[in-house]
Amino acid sequence: MLSPIQVLCSDITTLSLEPEPFASYTEADIISTVEFNHTGELLATGDKGGRVVIFQREPESKCEPFSQGEYNVYSTFQSHEPEFDYLKSLEIEEKINKIRWLPQQNAAHFLLSTNDKTIKLWKVSERDKRPEGYNLKDEEGRIKDLSTVTSLQVPVLMPMDLMVEVSPRRVFANAHTYHVNSISVNSDYQTYMSADDLRINLWHLDITDRSFNIVDIKPANMEDLTEVITAAEFHPHHCNLFVYSSSKGTLRLCDMREAALCDKHSKLFEEPEDPSARSFFSEIISSVSDVKFSHSGRYLLTRDYLTAKVWDLNMESKPLETYQVHDYLRSKLCSLYENDCIFDKFECAWNGSDSVIMTGAYNNFFRMFDRNTKRDVTLEASRESSKPRAVLKPRRVCAAGGKRRKDDISVDSLDFTKKILHTAWHPTENIIAIAATNNLYIFQDKLNSELH
Amino acid sequence: MIMKGQKRKHPPEEVEISDRSSPMWESQRQLVFSVSLNKYHHGQELPEPSLRRSVLIANTLRQVSLEAFAAPSVDIEVSPPPCSSSSALHKSVVTAKQHPAETFSNSHSALVSCPTVTLNDLSYCVPASNAPLSLKDEDEDWGSLSKDSDFSLSAAISSILTALDSTIDSCSQAAPRTPLRSLENLSAPSDGGVAWVKQGLRGYGGGWEQQEEGREWESSTELMRCSYLSELTVEDLFQDIDTSLLERDMEVLGLIGSGGECPTGDDLLRYLPPFSSSPSHPFSLSLNQNLKCLPSLSSFGPLSSSLPSLSSPHFSSQNHVREGLDLEHLMEILVES
């Protein structure tokens, strides 16, 4: 059972563990991406206002062996500002679309953040010591009167309050005509790729003035455009392999060794359409909104509007497993099309051992599916049900007019404005981060923590 | 959420309709088409619409149109797929993506460039039968009320309005201007062709008398025309028109009546194409009949009082017949149903 270890509000000025009445928020506070780093020690969130907030997990206290490490704000910085494209007379949103951490190679942490057009590499470093005892400057920094200096001293590093410094190290700009939807760091730790609606570019982390185009699906005549790229990711171990998904529900695995331009895929993963289930919205709901390699690199997890699918890289003809996330919406597709909910892009996540997958839904519900036991659970991320140390209660959605148990919620009562689009799972532990509009919830598996 | 005391209504779309022969399928198809059309236009109004969303909507439109063409129980004759509204819209979507800053103009030019959207095609779009539409409940959503004839006419209207846009787009390819387009711009810019169509429907009689349908028409075409005409004046649209030949005809047609202070009347005549010396048009015999539909023109504000009767002796001369040829021809097409 998952218990909330912390309920956080993205507006850090009102950060509190006490449940508060739900205050109105600005659109800039809406969380647009969540990502754990490779050790799980840091958790980064990006919002629509272009800000990045990094949380750090407090080390578990030895005095309280069962206390769970809590995540506290580590650093906040403005990653992207609104820009104006003068050529097209368009404003470029500062919303952070994706954050990806680089593997840590020294004391500093590096992350990539991107908005629609520009990717930036940020260095996050700590400073907890400062030199004292300068010869030419006094403690306040004023230049000393040289006549008063009688002897030389060696400055000594003295401890100071921890200061987290964030600085932009690289800015990768002007390489995307269309909106960047994905970034993915390669396992070689030297390159990364950025994908927009029609193209994927390969960058070197040290080179900002050029990138290499590796996928281009833009047709010669834009009138022939029927498909766009929706997500892309590098293989976790093979630096030559990457996958990208499309709005038509296909996945393409590409090998960069085959050709410089990987328009021709190595493998095409596509499930044939069930003719009996065909509707006007078949294509829209088949559009893949997220794709993630498993940690092992053997499987792919994809999310389309109604399902989550696990694919085996060795089998292109159909998915290995299909999980119905909210099939009760299948009869509501017309309404969801009218109110644009059908275009929502839900993300998905693997747990550390690739045995459980997780994805979000509406009404602040999120779903987890155990691949081994085939059990699934629906949980809600809300202030009312997420008091600290409380155990989350499984929820159930019943069909309209169907038999209803206590605490069940009817399909017609779902709040489609509350959607869990962004979720993240700790790389090794059962800790999950759920972004619900402007709130960030962090839940931990109580059972597992008790076993420690 | 159903409040206490409110009667629950059966949701109209409980069941996923995959049976094409079901009447619900057709109505849902039309609903999807109209919603998609709506979405497309709203998306075009955004400064930078999402490409994924636009592509998905365009694909849905195309699919819905193709299914309409393939459906066995369709009553109407729909214009051939090569240039259905959906494909035209799709072209506009993808063309617009090239130059987001010129989305407004480019999309329209792409729509106009669709080669088979002609008056002939529009004639196919009117319903084959004159069956009067049943009276709808007033509280039903306009989108769910679209029937075959509504749908086809809305397609016709949208085609007309898109054909209109070539004049809006200063960067577009040279699109042939048709008389239909000129009439579309007769009234004050904010009216466009919608009021004209509405009045035309009302004036025709038959099954078109219900106010509700007129309102539905207005609302459906309203959305289409708003994005095209909202910020333009008539003068902007027709700066390149040579009016010298037409001015004298205005008097003959009686459209510049007493005083002649009818801006819309001027516009009407200014933009009638110059007539040629061709022999009597076969339509001339039916001119009077068709012109009886022209009471729709009376909806153009100040013009209303100065349009005594277009079937007056003013039209007796050959020249005047020819002048009205294009006018009545397009009227015939649009109103004939």
Side-chain angles (χ1 to χ4, degrees):
Chain A
M1 284 300 160
L2 279 175
S3 64
I5 58 170
Q6 209 169 12
V7 173
L8 303 177
C9 178
S10 66
D11 180 359
I12 60 167
T13 61
T14 63
L15 180 62
S16 168
L17 295 181
E18 296 301 315
E20 288 178 9
F22 195 77
S24 63
Y25 57 88
T26 64
E27 186 146 328
D29 294 331
I30 295 174
I31 299 173
S32 51
T33 184
V34 183
E35 184 78 1
F36 280 100
N37 75 337
H38 291 257
T39 61
E41 180 205 356
L42 297 176
L43 173 66
T45 64
D47 64 21
K48 275 188 110 173
R51 289 166 302 193
V52 171
V53 180
I54 304 176
F55 299 89
Q56 185 186 42
R57 191 179 187 193
E58 296 302 319
E60 291 186 23
S61 167
K62 290 189 173 46
C63 303
E64 298 175 37
F66 295 122
S67 82
Q68 299 139 342
E70 293 181 346
Y71 283 84
N72 295 319
V73 177
Y74 181 62
S75 175
T76 303
F77 61 96
Q78 187 74 32
S79 169
H80 287 74
E81 297 275 3
E83 289 171 46
F84 194 75
D85 182 338
Y86 295 99
L87 195 63
K88 299 177 186 172
S89 293
L90 290 170
E91 192 167 295
I92 300 171
E93 267 190 10
E94 67 275 29
K95 175 171 76 95
I96 308 296
N97 292 335
K98 279 290 186 300
I99 289 174
R100 288 290 182 262
W101 290 93
L102 267 59
Q104 191 175 12
Q105 291 177 304
N106 51 36
H109 299 274
F110 289 86
L111 64 84
L112 287 167
S113 66
T114 185
N115 67 349
D116 285 340
K117 299 285 184 182
T118 305
I119 307 120
K120 294 186 183 180
L121 177 68
W122 294 90
K123 179 181 176 184
V124 184
S125 52
E126 290 182 2
R127 187 190 294 273
D128 60 355
K129 295 182 181 55
R130 65 185 170 119
E132 286 180 16
Y134 282 104
N135 292 291
L136 299 176
K137 288 187 293 183
D138 63 14
E139 297 308 315
E140 283 81 34
R142 289 188 296 251
I143 306 289
K144 284 182 184 174
D145 183 5
L146 287 180
S147 59
T148 63
V149 176
T150 53
S151 63
L152 284 176
Q153 58 180 349
V154 178
V156 180
L157 289 173
M158 302 296 291
M160 59 179 265
D161 291 339
L162 178 67
M163 200 166 69
V164 179
E165 296 175 333
V166 182
S167 58
R169 306 301 288 183
R170 304 274 188 274
V171 177
F172 305 92
N174 303 321
H176 286 281
T177 309
Y178 304 96
H179 291 180
V180 175
N181 52 53
S182 307
I183 48 175
S184 177
V185 183
N186 204 343
S187 52
D188 62 9
Y189 302 159
Q190 289 187 344
T191 57
Y192 76 95
M193 70 166 160
S194 56
D196 66 25
D197 291 322
L198 296 178
R199 297 189 178 102
I200 301 179
N201 294 335
L202 183 70
W203 301 83
H204 192 282
L205 284 165
D206 291 334
I207 300 170
T208 59
D209 59 354
R210 59 205 125 103
S211 67
F212 195 75
N213 178 243
I214 52 175
V215 172
D216 188 345
I217 65 166
K218 184 180 175 193
N221 186 357
M222 278 292 275
E223 296 179 358
D224 300 331
L225 179 68
T226 56
E227 195 174 6
V228 298
I229 296 170
T230 51
E233 193 177 59
F234 268 118
H235 192 280
H237 309 309
H238 302 299
C239 57
N240 55 298
L241 291 178
F242 67 93
V243 70
Y244 70 91
S245 61
S246 80
S247 57
K248 285 201 167 174
T250 62
L251 303 168
R252 286 175 169 82
L253 184 75
C254 300
D255 189 336
M256 292 195 290
R257 299 170 301 185
E258 281 183 1
L261 191 58
C262 300
D263 283 358
K264 191 165 168 297
H265 53 265
S266 295
K267 291 195 180 187
L268 174 67
F269 299 85
E270 188 175 17
E271 183 174 23
E273 190 184 3
D274 179 10
S276 65
R278 178 159 179 75
S279 76
F280 298 118
F281 311 105
S282 293
E283 183 179 321
I284 300 182
I285 64 170
S286 73
S287 171
V288 175
S289 53
D290 194 19
V291 64
K292 292 269 173 36
F293 274 101
S294 64
H295 292 89
S296 62
R298 168 89 189 265
Y299 302 105
L300 278 168
L301 172 63
T302 61
R303 174 74 154 98
D304 52 54
Y305 190 63
L306 295 178
T307 69
K309 294 176 180 168
V310 175
W311 302 76
D312 188 324
L313 278 186
N314 300 319
M315 184 166 70
E316 300 165 63
S317 56
K318 59 180 171 116
L320 200 62
E321 299 146 22
T322 301
Y323 300 95
Q324 302 294 333
V325 180
H326 38 202
D327 203 54
Y328 44 78
L329 297 183
R330 198 176 287 272
S331 59
K332 310 282 180 198
L333 290 179
C334 202
S335 301
L336 294 165
Y337 181 57
E338 286 184 67
N339 65 15
D340 275 356
C341 283
I342 208 172
F343 298 108
D344 288 335
K345 295 177 67 172
F346 292 94
E347 291 177 6
C348 52
W350 294 91
N351 75 335
S353 59
D354 300 335
S355 61
V356 183
I357 61 170
M358 171 175 68
T359 187
Y362 291 108
N363 210 74
N364 280 352
F365 287 169
F366 59 99
R367 302 261 280 143
M368 289 200 268
F369 301 90
D370 189 317
R371 295 179 60 214
N372 299 325
T373 65
K374 301 300 177 195
R375 283 167 52 191
D376 61 85
V377 67
T378 303
L379 300 168
E380 183 180 2
S382 69
R383 284 179 182 265
E384 293 74 30
S385 59
S386 308
K387 297 183 174 34
R389 308 287 184 268
V391 174
L392 288 178
K393 193 171 51 177
R395 303 302 304 267
R396 203 175 87 106
V397 179
C398 59
K403 209 169 176 184
R404 227 184 114 166
R405 284 185 253 163
K406 185 171 172 284
D407 291 338
D408 283 0
I409 185 164
S410 159
V411 180
D412 297 323
S413 307
L414 291 174
D415 186 347
F416 290 95
T417 61
K418 295 183 185 173
K419 47 192 97 173
I420 307 280
L421 299 175
H422 311 288
T423 59
W425 204 309
H426 190 285
T428 52
E429 296 186 36
N430 280 344
I431 302 173
I432 57 174
I434 310 287
T437 320
N438 66 325
N439 289 316
L440 179 70
Y441 295 85
I442 301 177
F443 301 112
Q444 182 164 343
D445 187 350
K446 194 172 184 185
L447 186 65
N448 274 352
S449 69
E450 283 173 354
L451 292 175
H452 289 161
Chain B
M1 195 74 176
I2 307 293
M3 304 302 293
K4 279 189 178 175
Q6 260 193 4
K7 200 171 179 183
R8 276 184 304 175
K9 287 187 184 173
H10 184 72
E13 46 162 336
E14 274 288 330
V15 179
E16 185 66 25
I17 298 159
S18 52
D19 180 16
R20 279 187 177 195
S21 57
S22 152
M24 287 290 290
W25 183 86
E26 180 59 29
S27 68
Q28 193 182 56
R29 187 189 61 76
Q30 292 182 13
L31 170 63
V32 172
F33 182 87
S34 53
V35 168
S36 301
L37 201 62
N38 215 2
K39 283 190 182 306
Y40 164 73
H41 290 299
H42 282 143
Q44 291 305 109
E45 287 166 15
L46 293 174
E48 200 172 11
S50 157
L51 186 60
R52 169 183 169 259
R53 184 191 140 95
S54 303
V55 165
L56 288 173
I57 291 171
N59 290 349
T60 304
L61 269 173
R62 189 191 298 114
Q63 180 200 341
V64 167
S65 303
L66 289 174
E67 294 203 1
F69 192 65
S73 61
V74 171
D75 296 330
I76 59 172
E77 299 171 12
V78 183
S79 58
C83 200
S84 62
S85 304
S86 64
S87 60
L89 287 165
H90 170 65
K91 285 177 186 176
S92 72
V93 165
V94 295
T95 304
K97 285 307 133 198
Q98 279 180 314
H99 302 283
E102 297 168 6
T103 296
F104 188 82
S105 54
N106 281 343
S107 64
H108 302 155
S109 68
L111 284 167
V112 172
S113 68
C114 182
T116 62
V117 177
T118 62
L119 297 179
N120 289 333
D121 286 337
L122 293 175
S123 65
Y124 287 113
C125 289
V126 297
S129 68
N130 282 336
L133 299 178
S134 55
L135 189 60
K136 311 289 187 300
D137 290 336
E138 289 190 1
D139 56 350
E140 283 188 39
D141 187 352
W142 67 270
S144 62
L145 296 179
S146 43
K147 292 286 185 181
D148 293 357
S149 49
D150 285 348
F151 166 70
S152 59
L153 278 170
S154 74
I157 299 302
S158 66
S159 301
I160 293 164
L161 291 172
T162 56
L164 177 66
D165 295 327
S166 66
T167 58
I168 298 170
D169 178 19
S170 56
C171 312
S172 67
Q173 311 89 325
R177 297 187 61 250
T178 68
L180 179 64
R181 191 179 308 109
S182 60
L183 262 186
E184 284 298 317
N185 297 307
L186 284 177
S187 61
S190 59
D191 290 337
V194 175
W196 177 80
V197 171
K198 179 179 68 173
Q199 293 295 330
L201 296 176
R202 287 191 187 149
Y204 185 76
W208 294 100
E209 286 167 359
Q210 281 84 2
Q211 292 275 344
E212 287 82 8
E213 283 119 32
R215 245 179 271 126
E216 289 156 32
W217 273 110
E218 183 181 36
S219 54
S220 60
T221 51
E222 187 93 4
L223 290 160
M224 287 183 281
R225 68 157 174 85
C226 277
S227 60
Y228 297 96
L229 298 174
S230 52
E231 294 176 16
L232 298 161
T233 63
V234 176
E235 289 70 29
D236 292 339
L237 296 174
F238 298 97
Q239 283 172 359
D240 57 337
I241 304 300
D242 178 12
T243 64
S244 56
L245 291 175
L246 299 172
E247 280 181 300
R248 64 184 171 89
D249 301 315
M250 293 164 71
E251 293 175 23
V252 175
L253 285 172
L255 287 170
I256 302 182
S258 49
E261 290 302 317
C262 306
T264 47
D266 289 349
D267 294 339
L268 162 65
L269 292 177
R270 183 175 301 148
Y271 301 124
L272 282 177
F275 46 85
S276 62
S277 58
S278 59
S280 169
H281 196 279
F283 282 110
S284 62
L285 295 174
S286 60
L287 176 63
N288 285 345
Q289 282 178 346
N290 291 319
L291 290 176
K292 279 174 189 166
C293 306
L294 285 177
S296 64
L297 293 174
S298 64
S299 70
F300 297 143
L303 192 59
S304 56
S305 56
S306 58
L307 257 187
S309 58
L310 294 171
S311 53
S312 71
H314 288 263
F315 285 91
S316 56
S317 76
Q318 202 75 317
N319 287 341
H320 306 147
V321 164
R322 269 185 245 119
E323 286 162 21
L325 278 185
D326 287 322
L327 174 63
E328 59 85 343
H329 180 61
L330 65 93
M331 296 290 292
E332 177 192 10
I333 287 163
L334 287 170
V335 182
E336 200 171 68
S337 59

